[in-house]
Amino acid sequence: MKKVVACYKWVIDEADIRVEEKDHSLNFERAKYKISEYDRNAIEAGALLNEEKGCEFLAVTCGPNVEASLKDVLSRGPASISYVNEEWLADVDSSVTSKILAGIIKKIGNVDLVICGEGSSDDYSQQVGPRLAALLGYASVTFVNKLDITEEGIKVERKLEDGVEVLEVKGPAVVTVLPDINKPRIPSLKQILAAKKKPTEKISLKEIGFDINASQPKLKTLSISGTVMERKNMQINTDGLSIKDAALKLVKQLNADGSLA
Amino acid sequence: MTKFWIISDVAETSYELLGKARELLGDQEGIITVYLIGNETTGQEAIGYGADLVKLMELPPDTTWEQYAPVLVQEAQASQPEMILVGATRRGKDLAAQLAALLDSPCVTECKSIEYDDGKVILKRIIYGGLAEKIIECCQFPVIATVASRTFEKWTAKDASREGTIEKLDLPAGVNVQVVERRSKPQEVVNIKDASIVVGVGRGFSEQDELKMAEELAKVLGGEVACSRPIAEDLHWLPEDRYIGISGQIIKPNVYIAAGISGQVQHVYGIRDAKTIIAIDKNENAPIFQVADYYIVGDLKEVLPALTEAVKEVKAANKG
Ligand SMILES: Cc1cc2nc3c(=O)[nH]c(=O)nc-3n(C[C@H](O)[C@H](O)[C@H](O)COP(=O)(O)OP(=O)(O)OC[C@H]3O[C@@H](n4cnc5c(N)ncnc54)[C@H](O)[C@@H]3O)c2cc1C
């Protein structure tokens, strides 16, 4: 039986972040966490390989408060989750993340296929997948929108700027998936209840031989500044104006602005 | 910093990266090596644009371009570059990250600016789907940075008679990734970046047939139809060259009309420089209204045809 692991990141929902107009700082007060958008596709891809091809399917993650994510992820298909939960992982770069994930995957052992999202919703550095492949000595295959597991390895289609590459990989691989590979499920009540009984494993850095001093982040954030846009924000169909009249009013306004020329 | 590398599967982008490397090098003695897909002519062109040494790669017919990673690692260990600029195509980003892991190096994806100051490299990139800009400092070398095409200018001191060396780079043998087939993408005839009026369609359209309403409006306005990412990537209703946003096209039209697009940051990033933004959405709390100049709250099935009629009327009046 093939062993498949999906990696996911538990991120702040960027739609909840407010940019303060006065100093362009970011306000996270109302921000909730979510499974990074395209990692949902990675998890779904693993779940489908389990349901349709009988693969063993597990999930892994690391981050500052990932315990809050476990139930949600387990209801989406994996049999268990192995994770590293450390406060200081809040501001690390892809080099640290990929080393920890590689450590967890090696500890799980005999993993045939690792699936990651194409990039995370927050940083979108798109590095963890290929970095993991390099660290594990697996083949790296990115931007995949069709994935099938075979006796010898995998068969995939990847979407590039100039077209499609159809590939066959022998041996273990790390793939990163595009959002159109599948439609992530909305877990059913049964799946949500079943998730409560699934095991999770909290892993220490020591267990995976991760040396904090030797693996400090290589990049330092100097500043983060939100971008603001000045716009008129004028609603046209106010005071019971019909759509027809509003449309005419808008087009006349554009005409007056010189935008129709 | 005096030793630069440039790697790109698109030759044109490597010339732009050369411009940046030449700028960072200034009048110091240094060496810039370019790894690109191309032939002798492309190599000579790169030398004209500022390369000292060119190593020609190929798009291998039976495996992926990224299989060059281990060869590049050996080269890097021998020549010790301090900065490696990689063209941020999908292939480029994959290769750059693998190289970074193998060299245990920092890597910054899709940089908007790169400066060097007193032993430190300062890089800028966009995060949170376009909501914010992050400034990053890096003091560990080699630093790898990927850069999208048209971010930097080519070297203005281009000299076609500059001299340099051109060599061929060999691929490693015995790779485990096989190309079964490559299908090239049909070339888009229109470039939505050139359109002065763009009508953007989103998931508010419930059937592909409804796109006709947007096409009609675009037609009377002399504009083009574009879309949000899910319309192109998930529904395949429009070609991928037509989706707007941080991972798609960045446009600067005179007028952008968003219909049935909720206005998530990732999309809005692509229309930031539009002169006028108009939004149509049936949800009065849609975030798109916060970035619009003018908006109509309503069903697009009603609003779009009304707009088309209004444009005809106003244009007729203009003529008459
Ligand atoms: C890393 C990453 C990168 C991304 N990059 C991009 C990108 O480059 N570009 C991009 O567009 N997206 C991108 N996205 C996706 C983005 O987050 C949103 O999911 C997407 O933009 C939403 O598309 P939409 O507005 O068409 O759909 P929705 O968010 O579903 O909005 C549909 C809107 O239509 C309205 N509506 C419904 N019916 C009607 C009707 N009859 N009349 C009028 N209005 C109606 C609804 O009220 C709603 O506001 C990215 C996401 C991630 C995580």
Side-chain angles (χ1 to χ4, degrees), chain A residues 37 98 162 184 239:
Chain A
E37 219 63 40
S98 53
D162 57 359
D239 304 325

Side-chain angles (χ1 to χ4, degrees), chain B residues 191-254:
Chain B
N191 188 345
I192 58 155
K193 284 186 177 168
D194 300 332
S196 81
I197 299 185
V198 175
V199 179
V201 303
R203 271 201 301 223
F205 287 73
S206 42
E207 289 167 45
Q208 187 167 9
D209 208 41
E210 292 177 1
L211 294 189
K212 284 203 189 99
M213 291 181 291
E215 281 156 12
E216 287 282 307
L217 177 60
K219 200 167 135 207
V220 296
L221 286 167
E224 291 291 339
V225 174
C227 60
S228 64
R229 185 168 181 173
I231 294 294
E233 286 225 319
D234 304 349
L235 297 166
H236 306 289
W237 287 353
L238 286 171
E240 266 158 44
D241 303 340
R242 289 205 184 218
Y243 87 77
I244 294 169
I246 185 137
S247 42
Q249 306 286 340
I250 314 278
I251 59 169
K252 301 173 183 177
N254 244 330

Side-chain angles (χ1 to χ4, degrees), chain B residues 130-148:
Chain B
L131 191 77
E133 209 175 74
K134 175 154 136 175
I135 304 202
I136 300 164
E137 176 188 285
C138 178
C139 330
Q140 194 179 322
F141 301 90
V143 49
I144 301 176
T146 64
V147 180

Side-chain angles (χ1 to χ4, degrees), chain A residues 12 14-15 17-19 26 28 34 38 91 93-95 98-99 118 121-128 130-135 137-143 145-146 155 157-172 178-180 214 216-237 243-244 246-255 257-261, chain B residues 59 63-67 88-91 93-95 97-98 100-102 104-110 122-123 125-140 143 176-185 196-197 221 229 233-234 236 240 246-247 254-255 257 264-266 268 271-278 289-299 302-303 306-307 310-311 313-315 318:
Chain A
I12 283 180
E14 71 283 358
I17 305 171
R18 298 274 160 269
V19 179
L26 301 188
F28 294 95
K34 64 173 181 183
Y38 302 154
D91 191 29
D93 55 31
S94 315
S95 77
S98 53
K99 281 177 194 169
E118 174 256 293
S121 312
D122 53 357
D123 257 3
Y124 203 47
S125 281
Q126 302 175 297
Q127 291 180 32
V128 166
R131 273 187 184 266
L132 265 179
L135 295 174
Y138 286 18
S140 170
V141 186
T142 43
F143 305 102
N145 72 339
K146 283 193 187 140
K155 190 169 174 187
E157 287 194 21
R158 67 192 294 238
K159 220 156 52 170
L160 301 168
E161 287 84 354
D162 57 359
V164 171
E165 258 178 14
V166 184
L167 306 173
E168 265 171 20
V169 181
K170 290 204 170 63
L178 289 167
D180 60 327
Q216 285 294 309
K218 298 172 191 300
L219 300 170
K220 189 169 138 199
T221 302
L222 294 184
S223 69
I224 292 178
S225 155
T227 34
V228 288
M229 245 203 292
E230 300 269 326
R231 292 286 172 184
K232 296 199 187 85
N233 304 121
M234 250 172 70
Q235 181 174 355
I236 304 292
N237 57 334
I243 294 291
K244 192 160 170 278
L248 195 58
K249 184 174 158 193
L250 172 58
V251 175
K252 282 184 175 160
Q253 174 76 52
L254 290 177
N255 197 37
D257 293 352
S259 303
L260 291 188
Chain B
L59 181 60
T63 190
T64 56
W65 180 69
E66 295 91 315
Q67 297 294 325
T89 55
R90 288 184 163 180
R91 288 188 176 103
K93 287 186 278 191
D94 185 337
L95 179 69
Q98 288 190 61
L102 295 168
D104 195 20
S105 292
C107 181
V108 182
T109 307
E110 293 200 39
I122 310 290
L123 312 104
R125 67 182 302 266
I126 305 297
I127 57 167
Y128 294 126
L131 191 77
E133 209 175 74
K134 175 154 136 175
I135 304 202
I136 300 164
E137 176 188 285
C138 178
C139 330
Q140 194 179 322
V143 49
N176 47 3
V177 178
Q178 286 288 320
V179 171
V180 180
E181 189 192 351
R182 277 201 180 100
R183 298 195 297 267
S184 52
K185 194 163 79 177
S196 81
I197 299 185
L221 286 167
R229 185 168 181 173
E233 286 225 319
D234 304 349
H236 306 289
E240 266 158 44
I246 185 137
S247 42
N254 244 330
V255 181
I257 305 175
Q264 301 306 313
V265 278
Q266 294 92 351
V268 170
I271 55 169
R272 189 153 267 153
D273 293 324
K275 219 161 130 227
T276 302
I277 297 179
I278 293 165
F289 294 147
Q290 289 162 22
V291 299
D293 293 292
Y294 308 118
Y295 63 92
I296 296 179
V297 182
D299 192 325
E302 207 183 328
V303 181
L307 279 173
V311 172
E313 197 178 316
V314 170
K315 283 207 167 175
N318 282 353

